[in-house]
Amino acid sequence: MNKIILVVHGGAGTITKQSMTPEKEKAYTEGLTVALEAGYKILKNRGSSLDAVSAAVVTLEDNPLFNAGKGSVFTSEGKNEMDASIMDGKTRKAGAVASVNTIKNPIKAARLVMDKSPHVLMTGKGAIRFAQENGLEIVDSSYFHTDFRYDQWQKSIKHDKIQLDHSGDKDPKGWLKTETEKKFGTVGAVALDANGNLAAATSTGGMTNKKWGRIGDSPIIGAGTYANNNTCAVSCTGHGEYFIRDVVAYDISALMEYKKLSLKDAAEEVVMKKLVTDGGEGGIIAVDKDGNYTMTFNSEGMYRGVITADGKVWVGIYK
Amino acid sequence: MNKIILVVHGGAGTITKQSMTPEKEKAYTEGLTVALEAGYKILKNRGSSLDAVSAAVVTLEDNPLFNAGKGSVFTSEGKNEMDASIMDGKTRKAGAVASVNTIKNPIKAARLVMDKSPHVLMTGKGAIRFAQENGLEIVDSSYFHTDFRYDQWQKSIKHDKIQLDHSGDKDPKGWLKTETEKKFGTVGAVALDANGNLAAATSTGGMTNKKWGRIGDSPIIGAGTYANNNTCAVSCTGHGEYFIRDVVAYDISALMEYKKLSLKDAAEEVVMKKLVTDGGEGGIIAVDKDGNYTMTFNSEGMYRGVITADGKVWVGIYK
């Protein structure tokens, strides 16, 4: 039996000890642990990495603490518009949805696109119709309303700036500060299953007060999500525009395949060198075909956790 | 002065001599030549490769023969929904729009996203609003109607199949045939300017009778379009889902950067090996930083052309 492993993230950014309360810390830690255990249960029973990453991400989408599914941030029009993607390392098949607003679990829709359509990426109303036709749970858009995100949006409007997730919750000036202090909200999971198959999944509500139908890296295969049994599975979180331009998820795979770098070195090269040079803040989680994993980020913090074959859970928030 | 060069494509697929008339051949050749000359005029005057690829693509968008801008195929709802992207090899900044329907020249909108917003990808109504706010020409959706595409769509509905572009125009059974005989419609341009800067641009109307808000590789940086002054500029055309999964445009760059392959060898590896193995039909045009170029396709034909520093035009359609 292969060395099963599952890694999850709940977003990266300016997450500092000072900006936290013990209660919030506990809630985030619990949320990440629930995600890890949901995926692990599947892997332990020789289930697929695809099912494991889906199950882990579903719990994070359902948890209002994280900027994905319930708990997604608000657009400039006061709506919640979500993106998600998934990729199967065995077949390199992939599915993604972008700008969807009434699909309870966007990651399930991404999975459906992969499994039940000839397409990779569907957007907006068309994607919702496809999800509905295939029996996915559709909810009223009010399901995604959370007071916390609504207030965050109101503050954002007031200060007329596009704000990346998680900001301003504890630090009252968090949402006033400069670009470098923004926080990023996305959730994701990567896993290796007992059959040696890799998978990656990512889901997000995007940027607070986003306008113009902006889409980040989360639904973009190669940028926010990538999986290939020959190399690794990667899920990203960060300033999406940089992750798209740097083709971050695939670049880690390419460095392993073409330059024979280890997973850690490849992640280091992309996240700590290329992205830092370009000014792209954020991080990635990744596992390789041998069960090695990395959680690499150039921001002050990243909600993250890993569960190893023995069922041991480790969760971290700060550097 | 650097060796200026511009390469364009107008789509790839089952384009055979038998399925052509001399009149159509002439029209396609003229359309490609007009595009080449529009871009060359800029390059010759020491203009930027960004301006050159934009200008070339605008002429192809305005030409109803090609599946981009006017001449775009119809969706399952009888609409025209277009995607486009552009990337600057010097800064690696990029812009893209997806699922837009009233922007006369989607490539201009992609350029605006790059130049005038902090984003890379905008979709749907939001993208249109952004274009309009920035003074881009908005047209009635009827502008995109062409009888040829409408008839193609009607045939497609009748036979209840999603059809990729260009099919069935001459061969009355073209739209009845198998997957392998589909044709792909996209336009694109890549260029190297006198200052040694590379740029790539791609624009498309997508698949005939496309449903569910499907988006292909054309607006996806790394998949359909990529440019990097250290390596190359690439624009793709083909079965988009495979181009996304194989991160085609960036992969060519990565093979050059990490494995030190020549542009030709890198393109050969991705288009003639990887894509062929995966079943992904189509092709690419690319130029590298030294002015080498390639037009590599695994389909029966690709509308393509190149204009070299001396102003010489070469245009090809078949293998």
Side-chain angles (χ1 to χ4, degrees), chain A residues 260-274:
Chain A
K260 307 295 170 201
L261 296 196
S262 69
L263 178 70
K264 237 181 188 56
D265 288 348
E268 198 81 10
E269 177 71 26
V270 177
V271 178
M272 307 309 284
K273 293 183 188 165
K274 286 192 180 189

Side-chain angles (χ1 to χ4, degrees), chain A residues 92 245-246 250-251 274, chain B residues 92 245-246 250-251 258:
Chain A
R92 280 183 298 111
R245 290 164 50 192
D246 284 346
Y250 179 68
D251 200 28
K274 286 192 180 189
Chain B
R92 280 184 298 110
R245 290 165 49 192
D246 283 346
Y250 179 67
D251 201 28
Y258 301 148

